[in-house]
Structure formats: structure tokens, C-alpha cells
């Protein structure tokens, strides 16, 4: 099954207007499949290079020689972080003949982790993220529960059975820890990294206790920070930061940590199916992380919107705050419940932040309804399709 990705229009727009378009996303998120599908829409000859292949890396031994003869083509370079010193040479080629769609490149880590990119291609490159399937991309017949349990990586979500999905996720985690992290530039012992992933899965949806984790792993605070920064730059984890406002209250300032893909989370905590998830004591945190990731994928592509959480030392809290510019516009509570309610701490937080359009997002809700004049209860699909685009 081929699933159309919602970033396609944005990528085609970039190809029409920018000399370099870079598609970023975690390993196995579907970048290669997406690029091969979109090549047919490029109105010029295309040369495709997969830098995972020795033969194609060999062609790039002298990039200027190989690419210099292809200035009228679109050159696709897949997994460009394999040869990071190519970026200054791409800049020279672009400046020599600056036309749209000179290069379409893909990468598996954030540009900040790839040496030379920021200083080399500034003003010449457009970055677009291709992450695991978002709920909005999933066909209606594939329901939310399947997406939540299996996650959004294509080969996990589209697997013909739950067992095959589980095996793929196990293989992904092992391969990523034992091989891919080194390929991406992080040299770390596999056993240590596996322990870190397991610890993060136990902290999922909670405050990131860096000192406690570094002590447990017997590594320095600085080393742990490097690992966390890298995993976030490789799209494996997400830190949700608190929203700071000057309201005369003592605010919690520690970020929360989430494993971005719910399928990976469920493998790390050994959840095999929905029945097992129902008995998991932290099911609410799994649901919270899943909802936040679906919203984040869309908000990251929307100019001027950002997301935080809010908590004070006196107990006022809200799971998610949507901010437009510098102004909070919506408070969102994420509850795994069919009959949700608002706590006193939630009400105080909404009052503190002065937001008028607020939501409780629950798994199942046939029709949205107000629980208070300023708070709407709805399911995740309705929020993503109806309410988020209006913010």
C-alpha cells in the first residue's frame, strides 16, 4: 500500500523555488520511497545517488567532477550525512549556476548535527521534515488504535500482522543502536545506549531527570546531555519545554521527555497489543505522548505556532499549551477517559494563561461537546482536522 504524504505539495513548491531541497526524518521513515515517487514530478532529468551504497559513494570521491557535468539536472543525494564535507562543494556549484531543483537531498539527522550545513548552504536550502506516518495520513480503515499501538514507521504500521510489526520494531531498535547511530555520527557502546533507551521509555511523559539518569548509567552529566541532544536531533525523542510567563508564580522549568514513535515506546516496555496496553499502569502517559507527537508533526510545519506544557509548584498544570508568536492561544488536556473532567489545577492554569479556546482530547468521542463554555471535548482526529488549522 502506498500512502500519500502530506508534505508533497510543500516539497514540490520548494523544488520550483529553491536550488536545494532537503528532506529530513528518522531512518526508515519513508524518505527514499517518497523521493522515488516524487521524481516523476520533476520537470528535468534526474540523477539518483544512494550514499548507503559503496558504488554511489565512490562516484562522490570527487563531487565537483561528478556533479559539475550535471548542472542542468536535478541530482538526488540520499542519506547525505554519510559525506558531510560535501556541503561546501554544493554551495559552490549552486552559486555557479543558481536555478531551482539543482539538488534534492535527504538526511536522517537535524542539520545542526551535520558539520558544514548551516554555514555552507544558508539562503540556498529549504528543510522539510518527513516523519513516520501522521494520523491524518493513515487511511480511515486503519483506525487510531492500530496506529497508536504500532506507531507510524511505514514497515511497522503496514505490516500484515501484529507479529510482523513487532519483529520489525525489534529489528529497528537493535539495528539503530548497534549500527545506525555510529553511521549517523554518535560513537557509543551499544549496551549503554540500549539501557538509555529503556530508561527514557520509563520516563516517557515525565520530567527529564538528567542527574538521576546519568548516575544510574554511571556517565557524566555532559555525556548524557550529548546523547539526549543527539537522539532528539535524530528524531527519536522529543523534549517538551515548559511555558514561562511572568505571573508571579514558581514555575516548573524542567522539560518533559517523550519517545516520539509510540510503536518504539511499546516495544521498549514490552507491550504487544491493545489488551496488554489496557493493563499498563502508565497507559495515560502513552496516550499523552501519542497525541503530542501527532500534533507536533503538524505544528512544526506551521509558521508562528509552538507548543509547551505548563506547571507550577502549587499544582496548576496543563498538558499542552499552543502558543502563537508569544501569546498562548489554546490549552489542551490529554486524557485517556470516556468521561473526562477538568481539575482545579487545570482551571487555574487556563485562568493563568488567559486562553479562550481550550480542549480535552480523548480517544473516542463520536461528537465533540463543550464541558465548559471555554473547553471543548473532542477526539484526536477532530482536533487535527478541524480545530488545529484554525489556530
Amino acid at each position: 500500500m502506498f500512502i500519500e504524504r502530506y508534505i508533497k505539495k510543500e516539497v514540490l513548491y520548494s523544488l520550483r523555488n529553491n536550488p536545494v531541497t532537503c528532506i529530513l526524518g528518522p531512518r526508515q521513515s519513508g524518505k527514499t520511497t517518497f523521493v522515488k515517487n516524487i521524481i516523476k514530478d520533476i520537470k528535468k532529468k534526474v540523477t539518483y545517488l544512494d550514499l548507503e551504497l559503496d558504488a554511489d559513494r565512490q562516484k562522490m570521491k570527487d563531487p565537483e567532477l561528478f556533479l559539475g557535468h550535471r548542472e542542468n539536472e536535478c541530482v538526488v543525494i540520499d542519506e547525505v550525512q554519510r559525506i558531510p564535507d560535501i556541503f561546501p562543494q554544493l554551495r559552490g556549484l549552486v552559486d555557479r549556476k543558481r536555478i531551482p531543483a539543482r539538488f534534492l537531498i535527504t538526511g536522517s539527522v537535524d542539520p545542526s548535527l551535520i558539520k558544514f550545513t548551516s554555514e555552507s548552504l544558508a539562503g540556498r536550502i529549504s528543510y522539510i521534515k518527513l516523519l513516520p506516518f501522521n494520523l491524518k495520513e493513515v487511511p480511515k480503515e486503519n483506525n487510531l488504535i492500530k496506529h497508536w499501538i504500532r506507531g507510524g514507521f511505514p514497515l511497522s504500521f503496514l505490516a500484515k500482522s501484529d507479529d510482523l510489526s513487532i519483529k520489525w520494531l525489534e529489528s529497528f531498535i537493535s539495528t539503530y543502536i548497534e549500527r545506525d547511530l555510529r553511521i549517523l555520527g554518535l560513537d557509543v557502546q551499544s549496551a549503554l545506549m540500549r539501557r538509555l533507551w529503556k530508561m527514557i521509555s520509563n520516563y516517557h511523559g515525565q520530567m527529564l531527570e538528567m542527574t538521576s539518569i546519568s548516575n544510574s548509567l554511571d556517565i557524566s552529566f555532559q555525556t548524557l546531555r550529548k546523547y539526549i541532544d543527539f537522539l532528539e536531533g535524530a528524531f527519536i525523542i522529543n523534549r517538551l519545554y515548559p511555558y514561562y510567563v511572568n505571573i508571579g508564580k514558581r514555575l516548573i522549568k524542567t522539560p518533559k521527555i517523550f519517545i516520539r514513535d509510540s510503536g518504539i515506546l511499546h516495544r521498549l516496555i514490552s507491550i504487544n497489543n491493545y489488551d496488554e496496553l489496557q493493563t499498563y499502569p502508565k497507559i495515560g502517559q502513552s496516550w499523552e505522548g501519542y497525541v503530542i507527537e501527532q500534533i507536533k508533526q503538524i505544528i512544526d510545519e506551521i509558521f508562528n505556532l509552538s507548543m509547551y506544557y505548563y506547571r507550577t509548584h502549587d499544582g496548576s498544570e496543563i498538558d499542552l499549551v499552543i502558543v502563537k508568536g508569544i501569546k498562548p492561544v489554546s490549552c489542551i488536556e490529554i486524557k485517556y477517559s470516556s468521561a473526562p473532567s477538568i481539575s482545579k489545577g487545570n482551571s487555574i492554569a487556563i485562568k493563568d494563561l488567559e486562553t479562550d479556546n481550550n480542549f480535552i482530547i480523548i480517544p473516542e468521542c463520536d461528537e465533540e461537546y463543550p464541558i465548559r463554555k471555554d473547553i471543548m471535548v473532542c477526539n484526536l482526529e477532530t482536533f487535527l482536522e478541524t480545530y488545529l488549522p484554525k489556530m
Side-chain angles (χ1 to χ4, degrees), residues 298-306 323-325 391:
I298 296 173
I299 280 187
D300 280 354
E301 305 300 327
I302 300 176
F303 174 72
N304 219 25
L305 284 186
S306 52
V323 177
K324 188 170 188 177
M391 292 185 183

Side-chain angles (χ1 to χ4, degrees), residues 169-170 173-174 177 193-202 204 236-237 259-272 280:
L169 287 164
E170 288 176 344
I173 293 169
S174 294
I177 290 173
M193 184 54 60
R194 185 174 288 275
R195 287 174 59 203
L196 176 57
W197 282 39
K198 289 287 288 186
M199 292 192 72
I200 293 173
S201 71
N202 290 324
H204 180 85
I236 297 298
I237 66 171
I259 291 176
R260 296 194 63 165
D261 184 72
S262 55
I264 291 177
L265 170 68
H266 295 148
R267 284 290 3 100
L268 290 170
I269 59 177
S270 301
I271 296 293
N272 295 313
Y280 181 56

Side-chain angles (χ1 to χ4, degrees), residues 215-232:
N215 288 340
S216 296
L217 294 175
D218 195 24
I219 59 176
S220 70
F221 188 93
Q222 291 75 17
T223 298
L224 176 61
R225 182 179 294 280
K226 181 180 75 170
Y227 294 164
I228 294 292
D229 288 347
F230 197 96
L231 290 175
E232 187 167 41

Side-chain angles (χ1 to χ4, degrees), residues 78-235:
D78 206 356
E79 298 295 346
V80 71
Q81 74 279 339
R82 293 297 299 267
I83 47 173
D85 55 354
I86 193 178
F87 290 99
Q89 298 181 67
L90 292 183
R91 179 189 62 190
L93 291 166
V94 167
D95 290 348
R96 188 184 307 165
K97 186 170 185 178
R98 187 172 181 135
I99 58 175
R102 287 273 336 248
F103 300 101
L104 172 59
I105 62 181
T106 77
S108 296
V109 292
D110 188 88
S112 63
L113 299 180
I114 306 177
K115 190 178 179 182
F116 301 127
T117 53
S118 57
E119 62 267 32
S120 297
L121 290 173
R124 305 166 181 86
I125 188 169
S126 172
Y127 294 105
I128 302 169
K129 293 177 184 175
L130 184 75
L131 298 165
F133 292 146
N134 187 271
L135 182 61
K136 286 186 67 176
E137 296 174 313
V138 173
K140 295 299 182 183
E141 63 268 20
N142 292 300
N143 59 33
L144 177 146
I145 297 300
K146 177 182 174 182
H147 189 241
W148 177 20
I149 294 295
R150 293 188 178 188
F153 280 94
L155 292 177
S156 173
F157 179 76
L158 297 174
K160 293 182 179 180
S161 69
D162 289 342
D163 285 345
L164 288 174
S165 172
I166 289 169
K167 288 177 181 177
W168 185 88
L169 287 164
E170 288 176 344
S171 176
F172 174 87
I173 293 169
S174 294
T175 302
Y176 205 99
I177 290 173
E178 294 168 8
R179 189 199 69 166
D180 289 351
L181 283 173
R182 288 189 180 87
I183 291 174
L184 295 175
L186 185 65
D187 189 13
V188 57
Q189 292 182 351
S190 300
L192 174 61
M193 184 54 60
R194 185 174 288 275
R195 287 174 59 203
L196 176 57
W197 282 39
K198 289 287 288 186
M199 292 192 72
I200 293 173
S201 71
N202 290 324
Y203 275 95
H204 180 85
Q206 301 177 44
M207 303 296 172
L208 176 57
E209 301 290 348
M210 294 282 287
T211 301
S212 175
I213 295 175
S214 63
N215 288 340
S216 296
L217 294 175
D218 195 24
I219 59 176
S220 70
F221 188 93
Q222 291 75 17
T223 298
L224 176 61
R225 182 179 294 280
K226 181 180 75 170
Y227 294 164
I228 294 292
D229 288 347
F230 197 96
L231 290 175
E232 187 167 41
F235 312 102

Side-chain angles (χ1 to χ4, degrees), residues 60-95:
M60 297 296 281
K61 284 284 188 178
D62 187 340
E64 188 168 358
L65 178 64
F66 182 81
L67 300 174
H69 296 293
R70 291 168 171 79
E71 61 181 18
N72 294 317
E73 301 177 19
C74 175
V75 179
V76 177
I77 307 175
D78 206 356
E79 298 295 346
V80 71
Q81 74 279 339
R82 293 297 299 267
I83 47 173
D85 55 354
I86 193 178
F87 290 99
Q89 298 181 67
L90 292 183
R91 179 189 62 190
L93 291 166
V94 167
D95 290 348

Side-chain angles (χ1 to χ4, degrees), residues 329-332 354-359 374-376 383 391:
V329 294
S330 181
C331 287
I332 301 167
E354 300 179 341
T355 52
D356 296 324
N357 299 304
N358 308 298
F359 301 88
D374 60 340
I375 303 174
M376 186 69 72
F383 179 80
M391 292 185 183

